[in-house]
Amino acid sequence: MKSYLAAAIQMTSQPDLQKNLAEAEELIELAVRRGAELIGLPENFAFLGKEEEKLQEAKIINEKSQKFLKTMAQRFQIMILGGGFPVPVEGDFTKAYNTAILVDSTGIEVARYQKVHLFDVDVPDGNTYCESSTVMAGQNLPNIYPSEQFGNLGLSICYDVRFPEIYRHLSHQGADVLFIPAAFTAFTGKDHWKILLQARAIENTCYVIAPAQTGNHYERRYTHGHACIVDPWGTILADAGQEEGMVIAEINPSRIQQVRRQMPSLRHRVFI
């Protein structure tokens, strides 16, 4: 594993599949032109609308999202994370899995994760979210994908960031980079988003790549933005602010080893 550039993309996805994919393609191409070889798209990159609308369109969103990711990976010779899109549950037309997939430069899916922690929360700004009404919770912890080029990559999705045990599981497997794609609410994001990303990076001495949604998507649905890349010491290397776009930063294996020598907390674990 050598040093490389990674990108976290930030979008304001709408309830419009074709428009979202076209915008994602533009941002991917821009990231590639700036040298990115590992690129992450946010949760709901292909469609961000009401849960019932997303469920109705789940089959086509799933098909087009997977085709899109494989096409982008092959065209630009990159590894790409699709940070979350609905995959219908076989035999159950009332639910879909919120699924992230990692696709290599040949267009082959190399890792898949179904979101385990579902966002059923009454947010103090007056919005109520009940992800479990249309999403089937995944049952399995994610495994790392060992990449010779990019290191050991671990997947998660949005609300998972509040559950450190999932990241400890990944670090125990040897994770170097943690993906945390999100559509974090604007209200909670201002207080918790960066702190949680930094905590996950620090406690596991890993890089964190956190693509994000930003702005107003429909009606009262607002997201926080601030797609970030965080280093193993918890330093925010890049922050996208609140505008659509992307951020790029170097992923340096020497930095991982340096931090782990300076703060060998992973070797000092007692309860594993």
Side-chain angles (χ1 to χ4, degrees):
M1 175 186 172
K2 299 179 181 179
S3 294
Y4 61 89
L5 295 180
I9 286 178
Q10 182 154 288
M11 300 178 65
T12 305
S13 296
Q14 306 287 325
D16 187 331
L17 176 61
Q18 293 306 123
K19 181 175 182 290
N20 296 332
L21 294 183
E23 292 181 356
E25 182 173 354
E26 290 180 5
L27 291 169
I28 291 166
E29 183 171 5
L30 179 60
V32 170
R33 287 181 178 178
R34 291 182 55 185
E37 298 177 86
L38 178 65
I39 297 177
L41 291 166
E43 183 183 28
N44 299 324
F45 69 92
F47 187 95
L48 209 170
K50 294 179 180 179
E51 287 297 307
E52 56 271 22
E53 293 176 2
K54 185 168 67 175
L55 183 62
Q56 290 170 1
E57 301 294 326
K59 185 175 184 294
I60 189 67
I61 297 172
N62 171 42
E63 291 172 354
K64 292 201 172 184
S65 295
Q66 294 200 51
K67 182 179 180 181
F68 172 81
L69 293 168
K70 294 172 182 179
T71 299
M72 293 297 101
Q74 290 177 308
R75 178 183 301 169
F76 296 113
Q77 290 295 287
I78 55 171
M79 181 168 283
I80 188 166
L81 175 85
F85 56 91
V87 175
V89 177
E90 187 174 351
D92 186 348
F93 299 105
T94 67
K95 297 284 179 75
Y97 290 108
N98 188 345
T99 305
I101 68 170
L102 190 64
V103 178
D104 73 11
S105 60
T106 68
I108 301 298
E109 178 186 317
V110 295
R112 174 176 290 238
Y113 167 67
Q114 296 168 335
K115 187 178 182 184
V116 170
H117 302 102
L118 303 185
F119 192 62
D120 292 356
V121 178
D122 294 322
V123 179
D125 64 359
N127 284 313
T128 295
Y129 301 87
C130 187
E131 190 175 16
S132 66
S133 65
T134 57
V135 175
M136 179 76 73
Q139 298 299 310
N140 299 310
L141 285 165
N143 293 315
I144 61 162
Y145 172 66
S147 166
E148 291 185 10
Q149 184 176 359
F150 301 117
N152 295 329
L153 308 176
L155 276 57
S156 65
I157 301 175
C158 199
Y159 190 46
D160 287 332
V161 75
R162 294 183 181 272
F163 301 87
E165 58 271 21
I166 196 171
Y167 302 95
R168 194 53 113 198
H169 167 78
L170 290 167
S171 73
H172 186 53
Q173 296 181 68
D176 300 309
V177 177
L178 304 171
F179 275 110
I180 309 178
F184 225 75
T185 70
F187 186 89
T188 57
K190 62 183 173 60
D191 294 325
H192 296 164
W193 172 242
K194 289 182 184 179
I195 294 171
L196 287 167
L197 296 179
Q198 289 175 290
R200 300 296 83 86
I202 292 166
E203 68 197 7
N204 298 295
T205 53
C206 289
Y207 281 93
V208 166
I209 300 174
Q213 293 283 353
T214 190
N216 180 224
H217 306 278
Y218 63 91
E219 297 178 359
R220 296 173 60 202
R221 180 70 163 106
Y222 289 85
T223 51
H224 176 62
H226 294 277
C228 286
I229 299 177
V230 186
D231 89 347
W233 192 253
T235 301
I236 296 176
L237 302 177
D239 179 345
Q242 294 181 305
E243 302 301 319
E244 291 182 84
M246 52 89 192
V247 290
I248 290 182
E250 181 184 44
I251 306 299
N252 187 339
S254 298
R255 178 59 173 159
I256 298 172
Q257 297 309 315
Q258 178 191 33
V259 170
R260 290 177 180 175
R261 286 194 301 270
Q262 292 173 335
M263 185 58 65
S265 56
L266 292 180
R267 292 195 283 109
H268 294 159
R269 287 174 295 179
V270 175
F271 301 108
I272 298 176

